[in-house]
Short mmCIF file of all heavy atoms in Angstrom, two decimals:
data_model
loop_
_atom_site.label_atom_id
_atom_site.label_comp_id
_atom_site.label_asym_id
_atom_site.label_seq_id
_atom_site.Cartn_x
_atom_site.Cartn_y
_atom_site.Cartn_z
N PHE A 162 -13.22 14.32 -18.19
CA PHE A 162 -11.89 14.65 -17.67
C PHE A 162 -10.95 13.47 -17.90
O PHE A 162 -11.37 12.32 -17.94
CB PHE A 162 -11.98 14.95 -16.17
CG PHE A 162 -12.70 16.22 -15.86
CD1 PHE A 162 -14.07 16.25 -15.73
CD2 PHE A 162 -12.01 17.42 -15.70
CE1 PHE A 162 -14.75 17.42 -15.48
CE2 PHE A 162 -12.66 18.61 -15.44
CZ PHE A 162 -14.05 18.61 -15.34
N ASP A 163 -9.67 13.78 -18.05
CA ASP A 163 -8.70 12.75 -18.23
C ASP A 163 -8.34 12.07 -16.91
O ASP A 163 -8.09 10.86 -16.86
CB ASP A 163 -7.40 13.31 -18.85
CG ASP A 163 -7.63 13.91 -20.22
OD1 ASP A 163 -8.13 13.19 -21.11
OD2 ASP A 163 -7.35 15.11 -20.40
N VAL A 164 -8.29 12.89 -15.85
CA VAL A 164 -7.82 12.38 -14.56
C VAL A 164 -8.54 13.06 -13.42
O VAL A 164 -8.88 14.26 -13.52
CB VAL A 164 -6.29 12.56 -14.42
CG1 VAL A 164 -5.90 14.02 -14.56
CG2 VAL A 164 -5.75 12.00 -13.10
N VAL A 165 -8.81 12.30 -12.37
CA VAL A 165 -9.39 12.85 -11.14
C VAL A 165 -8.40 12.64 -9.98
O VAL A 165 -7.97 11.51 -9.74
CB VAL A 165 -10.73 12.16 -10.80
CG1 VAL A 165 -11.29 12.72 -9.51
CG2 VAL A 165 -11.73 12.35 -11.91
N PHE A 166 -8.03 13.75 -9.36
CA PHE A 166 -7.21 13.68 -8.15
C PHE A 166 -8.17 13.75 -6.97
O PHE A 166 -8.84 14.75 -6.75
CB PHE A 166 -6.24 14.84 -8.13
CG PHE A 166 -5.09 14.67 -9.09
CD1 PHE A 166 -5.25 14.98 -10.45
CD2 PHE A 166 -3.88 14.12 -8.68
CE1 PHE A 166 -4.21 14.81 -11.33
CE2 PHE A 166 -2.84 13.93 -9.57
CZ PHE A 166 -2.99 14.26 -10.93
N LEU A 167 -8.22 12.64 -6.22
CA LEU A 167 -9.32 12.42 -5.31
C LEU A 167 -8.90 12.20 -3.86
O LEU A 167 -8.07 11.28 -3.59
CB LEU A 167 -10.08 11.18 -5.84
CG LEU A 167 -11.36 10.72 -5.15
CD1 LEU A 167 -12.39 11.85 -5.12
CD2 LEU A 167 -11.93 9.51 -5.87
N ASP A 168 -9.43 13.01 -2.98
CA ASP A 168 -9.22 12.78 -1.54
C ASP A 168 -10.03 11.55 -1.13
O ASP A 168 -11.00 11.17 -1.80
CB ASP A 168 -9.65 14.03 -0.76
CG ASP A 168 -9.36 13.93 0.73
OD1 ASP A 168 -8.37 13.27 1.07
OD2 ASP A 168 -10.11 14.53 1.50
N ILE A 169 -9.66 10.95 -0.01
CA ILE A 169 -10.35 9.74 0.44
C ILE A 169 -11.38 10.05 1.56
O ILE A 169 -12.55 9.72 1.48
CB ILE A 169 -9.37 8.66 0.93
CG1 ILE A 169 -8.60 8.12 -0.28
CG2 ILE A 169 -10.10 7.54 1.65
CD1 ILE A 169 -7.55 7.09 0.07
N SER A 170 -10.91 10.72 2.58
CA SER A 170 -11.74 10.97 3.78
C SER A 170 -12.60 12.22 3.53
O SER A 170 -12.15 13.34 3.71
CB SER A 170 -10.87 11.15 5.00
OG SER A 170 -11.65 11.41 6.16
N MET A 171 -13.86 11.97 3.12
CA MET A 171 -14.81 13.07 2.88
C MET A 171 -16.16 12.68 3.44
O MET A 171 -16.50 11.48 3.46
CB MET A 171 -14.91 13.38 1.37
CG MET A 171 -13.67 13.98 0.77
SD MET A 171 -13.88 14.49 -0.95
CE MET A 171 -13.95 12.88 -1.74
N PRO A 172 -16.95 13.64 3.91
CA PRO A 172 -18.29 13.30 4.44
C PRO A 172 -19.22 12.78 3.36
O PRO A 172 -19.07 13.11 2.19
CB PRO A 172 -18.75 14.64 5.01
CG PRO A 172 -17.99 15.69 4.26
CD PRO A 172 -16.67 15.07 3.99
N GLY A 173 -20.18 11.99 3.77
CA GLY A 173 -21.12 11.42 2.81
C GLY A 173 -20.44 10.34 1.99
O GLY A 173 -19.95 9.34 2.52
N LEU A 174 -20.40 10.55 0.70
CA LEU A 174 -19.75 9.60 -0.22
C LEU A 174 -18.24 9.83 -0.15
O LEU A 174 -17.75 10.90 -0.53
CB LEU A 174 -20.27 9.85 -1.64
CG LEU A 174 -19.91 8.83 -2.72
CD1 LEU A 174 -20.68 7.52 -2.51
CD2 LEU A 174 -20.26 9.39 -4.09
N ASP A 175 -17.48 8.83 0.35
CA ASP A 175 -16.05 9.08 0.46
C ASP A 175 -15.35 8.80 -0.86
O ASP A 175 -15.96 8.36 -1.84
CB ASP A 175 -15.42 8.29 1.62
CG ASP A 175 -15.42 6.77 1.39
OD1 ASP A 175 -15.46 6.34 0.22
OD2 ASP A 175 -15.38 6.04 2.36
N GLY A 176 -14.04 9.05 -0.87
CA GLY A 176 -13.30 8.93 -2.12
C GLY A 176 -13.28 7.52 -2.69
O GLY A 176 -13.31 7.33 -3.92
N MET A 177 -13.17 6.50 -1.83
CA MET A 177 -13.17 5.15 -2.30
C MET A 177 -14.50 4.78 -2.97
O MET A 177 -14.54 4.12 -4.01
CB MET A 177 -12.89 4.18 -1.15
CG MET A 177 -11.48 4.24 -0.58
SD MET A 177 -10.27 3.64 -1.77
CE MET A 177 -8.77 3.84 -0.81
N GLU A 178 -15.58 5.22 -2.37
CA GLU A 178 -16.91 4.91 -2.92
C GLU A 178 -17.10 5.63 -4.25
O GLU A 178 -17.66 5.08 -5.20
CB GLU A 178 -17.98 5.36 -1.92
CG GLU A 178 -18.00 4.50 -0.67
CD GLU A 178 -18.84 5.09 0.46
OE1 GLU A 178 -18.96 6.34 0.54
OE2 GLU A 178 -19.41 4.30 1.26
N LEU A 179 -16.64 6.88 -4.32
CA LEU A 179 -16.74 7.62 -5.60
C LEU A 179 -15.90 6.95 -6.67
O LEU A 179 -16.37 6.77 -7.82
CB LEU A 179 -16.27 9.06 -5.40
CG LEU A 179 -16.22 9.91 -6.67
CD1 LEU A 179 -17.59 9.97 -7.35
CD2 LEU A 179 -15.73 11.33 -6.35
N ALA A 180 -14.71 6.54 -6.34
CA ALA A 180 -13.85 5.85 -7.32
C ALA A 180 -14.49 4.57 -7.82
O ALA A 180 -14.39 4.23 -9.03
CB ALA A 180 -12.50 5.54 -6.69
N SER A 181 -15.18 3.83 -6.96
CA SER A 181 -15.86 2.61 -7.37
C SER A 181 -16.98 2.92 -8.37
O SER A 181 -17.19 2.16 -9.32
CB SER A 181 -16.42 1.90 -6.15
OG SER A 181 -15.39 1.47 -5.27
N LEU A 182 -17.65 4.03 -8.15
CA LEU A 182 -18.70 4.45 -9.09
C LEU A 182 -18.11 4.86 -10.45
O LEU A 182 -18.62 4.51 -11.51
CB LEU A 182 -19.51 5.61 -8.52
CG LEU A 182 -20.42 5.29 -7.32
CD1 LEU A 182 -21.05 6.58 -6.81
CD2 LEU A 182 -21.48 4.26 -7.70
N LEU A 183 -16.99 5.56 -10.39
CA LEU A 183 -16.37 6.05 -11.63
C LEU A 183 -15.85 4.88 -12.47
O LEU A 183 -15.84 4.96 -13.70
CB LEU A 183 -15.22 7.00 -11.31
CG LEU A 183 -15.58 8.26 -10.53
CD1 LEU A 183 -14.36 9.16 -10.37
CD2 LEU A 183 -16.70 9.02 -11.24
N ALA A 184 -15.43 3.82 -11.80
CA ALA A 184 -14.90 2.65 -12.53
C ALA A 184 -15.96 2.01 -13.39
O ALA A 184 -15.64 1.27 -14.33
CB ALA A 184 -14.33 1.63 -11.54
N LYS A 185 -17.25 2.26 -13.11
CA LYS A 185 -18.36 1.66 -13.89
C LYS A 185 -18.73 2.53 -15.08
O LYS A 185 -19.59 2.12 -15.87
CB LYS A 185 -19.55 1.47 -12.98
CG LYS A 185 -19.29 0.52 -11.81
CD LYS A 185 -20.47 0.44 -10.84
CE LYS A 185 -20.15 -0.47 -9.67
NZ LYS A 185 -21.25 -0.51 -8.69
N MET A 186 -18.13 3.69 -15.24
CA MET A 186 -18.44 4.57 -16.41
C MET A 186 -17.92 3.91 -17.67
O MET A 186 -16.97 3.13 -17.64
CB MET A 186 -17.82 5.92 -16.19
CG MET A 186 -18.37 6.72 -15.02
SD MET A 186 -17.48 8.28 -14.71
CE MET A 186 -17.86 9.18 -16.26
N SER A 187 -18.52 4.23 -18.79
CA SER A 187 -18.10 3.66 -20.07
C SER A 187 -16.68 4.11 -20.44
O SER A 187 -15.91 3.34 -20.99
CB SER A 187 -19.08 4.05 -21.18
OG SER A 187 -19.19 5.47 -21.29
N GLU A 188 -16.34 5.38 -20.11
CA GLU A 188 -14.99 5.88 -20.32
C GLU A 188 -14.53 6.55 -19.02
O GLU A 188 -14.52 7.77 -18.92
CB GLU A 188 -14.96 6.86 -21.47
CG GLU A 188 -15.25 6.23 -22.83
CD GLU A 188 -15.08 7.23 -23.97
OE1 GLU A 188 -14.40 8.27 -23.77
OE2 GLU A 188 -15.60 6.98 -25.05
N PRO A 189 -14.12 5.75 -18.05
CA PRO A 189 -13.77 6.31 -16.73
C PRO A 189 -12.48 7.15 -16.80
O PRO A 189 -11.57 6.82 -17.60
CB PRO A 189 -13.60 5.09 -15.86
CG PRO A 189 -13.21 4.01 -16.80
CD PRO A 189 -13.98 4.30 -18.07
N PRO A 190 -12.38 8.18 -16.00
CA PRO A 190 -11.12 8.92 -15.92
C PRO A 190 -10.09 8.14 -15.14
O PRO A 190 -10.42 7.20 -14.39
CB PRO A 190 -11.51 10.21 -15.16
CG PRO A 190 -12.65 9.75 -14.29
CD PRO A 190 -13.41 8.72 -15.10
N VAL A 191 -8.83 8.47 -15.32
CA VAL A 191 -7.76 7.88 -14.51
C VAL A 191 -7.92 8.43 -13.06
O VAL A 191 -8.22 9.62 -12.87
CB VAL A 191 -6.40 8.24 -15.07
CG1 VAL A 191 -5.30 7.68 -14.20
CG2 VAL A 191 -6.27 7.70 -16.49
N ILE A 192 -7.72 7.55 -12.09
CA ILE A 192 -7.84 7.96 -10.69
C ILE A 192 -6.46 8.05 -10.02
O ILE A 192 -5.65 7.13 -10.11
CB ILE A 192 -8.70 6.97 -9.90
CG1 ILE A 192 -10.11 6.90 -10.47
CG2 ILE A 192 -8.75 7.35 -8.40
CD1 ILE A 192 -10.89 8.18 -10.33
N VAL A 193 -6.23 9.19 -9.37
CA VAL A 193 -5.06 9.34 -8.51
C VAL A 193 -5.58 9.77 -7.14
O VAL A 193 -6.26 10.80 -7.04
CB VAL A 193 -4.06 10.40 -9.05
CG1 VAL A 193 -2.91 10.61 -8.04
CG2 VAL A 193 -3.52 9.97 -10.40
N PHE A 194 -5.30 9.00 -6.12
CA PHE A 194 -5.74 9.37 -4.77
C PHE A 194 -4.73 10.32 -4.13
O PHE A 194 -3.50 10.18 -4.30
CB PHE A 194 -5.91 8.15 -3.90
CG PHE A 194 -7.19 7.37 -4.16
CD1 PHE A 194 -7.16 6.19 -4.82
CD2 PHE A 194 -8.41 7.89 -3.74
CE1 PHE A 194 -8.32 5.48 -5.11
CE2 PHE A 194 -9.59 7.22 -4.00
CZ PHE A 194 -9.55 6.00 -4.67
N VAL A 195 -5.26 11.31 -3.40
CA VAL A 195 -4.43 12.27 -2.68
C VAL A 195 -4.96 12.30 -1.24
O VAL A 195 -6.08 12.74 -1.02
CB VAL A 195 -4.49 13.69 -3.31
CG1 VAL A 195 -3.53 14.62 -2.57
CG2 VAL A 195 -4.17 13.63 -4.78
N THR A 196 -4.19 11.82 -0.29
CA THR A 196 -4.73 11.62 1.06
C THR A 196 -3.63 11.79 2.10
O THR A 196 -2.44 11.68 1.80
CB THR A 196 -5.35 10.22 1.20
OG1 THR A 196 -5.80 10.03 2.53
CG2 THR A 196 -4.35 9.11 0.85
N ALA A 197 -4.06 12.05 3.31
CA ALA A 197 -3.13 12.15 4.44
C ALA A 197 -2.92 10.83 5.13
O ALA A 197 -2.15 10.71 6.06
CB ALA A 197 -3.63 13.20 5.45
N TYR A 198 -3.64 9.79 4.68
CA TYR A 198 -3.63 8.51 5.37
C TYR A 198 -2.95 7.44 4.55
O TYR A 198 -3.30 7.20 3.40
CB TYR A 198 -5.06 8.09 5.69
CG TYR A 198 -5.79 9.11 6.54
CD1 TYR A 198 -6.69 10.01 5.95
CD2 TYR A 198 -5.56 9.19 7.91
CE1 TYR A 198 -7.32 10.97 6.74
CE2 TYR A 198 -6.19 10.14 8.69
CZ TYR A 198 -7.07 11.02 8.10
OH TYR A 198 -7.71 11.97 8.85
N GLU A 199 -1.98 6.76 5.14
CA GLU A 199 -1.18 5.76 4.45
C GLU A 199 -1.92 4.42 4.26
O GLU A 199 -1.68 3.69 3.33
CB GLU A 199 0.11 5.47 5.22
CG GLU A 199 0.99 6.69 5.39
CD GLU A 199 2.19 6.41 6.28
OE1 GLU A 199 2.10 5.43 7.07
OE2 GLU A 199 3.17 7.12 6.19
N GLN A 200 -2.84 4.12 5.18
CA GLN A 200 -3.34 2.75 5.29
C GLN A 200 -4.33 2.34 4.19
O GLN A 200 -4.70 1.19 4.13
CB GLN A 200 -3.98 2.54 6.65
CG GLN A 200 -5.25 3.34 6.91
CD GLN A 200 -4.96 4.67 7.57
OE1 GLN A 200 -3.82 5.12 7.59
NE2 GLN A 200 -5.99 5.31 8.14
N HIS A 201 -4.72 3.28 3.31
CA HIS A 201 -5.69 2.94 2.27
C HIS A 201 -5.03 2.52 0.96
O HIS A 201 -5.72 2.29 -0.02
CB HIS A 201 -6.62 4.13 1.98
CG HIS A 201 -7.39 4.60 3.19
ND1 HIS A 201 -8.35 3.82 3.81
CD2 HIS A 201 -7.33 5.77 3.86
CE1 HIS A 201 -8.85 4.49 4.83
NE2 HIS A 201 -8.27 5.67 4.89
N ALA A 202 -3.72 2.41 0.93
CA ALA A 202 -3.01 2.18 -0.35
C ALA A 202 -3.45 0.89 -1.02
O ALA A 202 -3.68 0.85 -2.22
CB ALA A 202 -1.50 2.18 -0.11
N VAL A 203 -3.56 -0.20 -0.26
CA VAL A 203 -3.92 -1.47 -0.85
C VAL A 203 -5.30 -1.40 -1.51
O VAL A 203 -5.47 -1.80 -2.66
CB VAL A 203 -3.91 -2.59 0.22
CG1 VAL A 203 -4.47 -3.88 -0.33
CG2 VAL A 203 -2.50 -2.80 0.75
N GLN A 204 -6.26 -0.86 -0.81
CA GLN A 204 -7.61 -0.74 -1.36
C GLN A 204 -7.64 0.17 -2.57
O GLN A 204 -8.33 -0.08 -3.56
CB GLN A 204 -8.59 -0.21 -0.28
CG GLN A 204 -10.02 -0.19 -0.75
CD GLN A 204 -10.96 0.38 0.29
OE1 GLN A 204 -10.54 0.72 1.41
NE2 GLN A 204 -12.25 0.49 -0.01
N ALA A 205 -6.82 1.24 -2.52
CA ALA A 205 -6.78 2.17 -3.64
C ALA A 205 -6.31 1.50 -4.91
O ALA A 205 -6.90 1.65 -5.99
CB ALA A 205 -5.85 3.35 -3.30
N TYR A 206 -5.23 0.70 -4.81
CA TYR A 206 -4.73 0.02 -6.00
C TYR A 206 -5.65 -1.09 -6.47
O TYR A 206 -5.76 -1.39 -7.65
CB TYR A 206 -3.31 -0.52 -5.75
CG TYR A 206 -2.29 0.58 -5.67
CD1 TYR A 206 -1.39 0.68 -4.62
CD2 TYR A 206 -2.19 1.54 -6.70
CE1 TYR A 206 -0.44 1.70 -4.54
CE2 TYR A 206 -1.24 2.55 -6.63
CZ TYR A 206 -0.38 2.63 -5.56
OH TYR A 206 0.56 3.64 -5.50
N ASP A 207 -6.36 -1.72 -5.51
CA ASP A 207 -7.34 -2.73 -5.88
C ASP A 207 -8.47 -2.12 -6.70
O ASP A 207 -9.02 -2.75 -7.62
CB ASP A 207 -7.92 -3.39 -4.63
CG ASP A 207 -6.98 -4.41 -4.01
OD1 ASP A 207 -6.04 -4.82 -4.70
OD2 ASP A 207 -7.20 -4.78 -2.84
N ILE A 208 -8.85 -0.89 -6.40
CA ILE A 208 -9.89 -0.19 -7.15
C ILE A 208 -9.42 0.14 -8.55
O ILE A 208 -10.20 0.23 -9.50
CB ILE A 208 -10.34 1.07 -6.40
CG1 ILE A 208 -11.16 0.69 -5.16
CG2 ILE A 208 -11.17 2.00 -7.27
CD1 ILE A 208 -11.56 1.84 -4.30
N GLY A 209 -8.10 0.30 -8.73
CA GLY A 209 -7.56 0.60 -10.03
C GLY A 209 -6.86 1.94 -10.14
O GLY A 209 -6.56 2.39 -11.25
#
Side-chain angles (χ1 to χ4, degrees):
F162 291 86
D163 299 302
V164 57
V165 177
F166 286 83
L167 184 57
D168 185 30
I169 291 178
S170 180
M171 292 186 288
L174 191 71
D175 68 25
M177 291 292 181
E178 292 168 329
L179 176 58
S181 296
L182 291 176
L183 299 184
K185 298 175 182 178
M186 296 175 64
S187 58
E188 294 185 18
V191 177
I192 299 294
V193 175
F194 283 106
V195 184
T196 177
Y198 302 99
E199 300 174 338
Q200 66 269 15
H201 301 295
V203 172
Q204 185 181 358
Y206 288 129
D207 282 344
I208 288 175

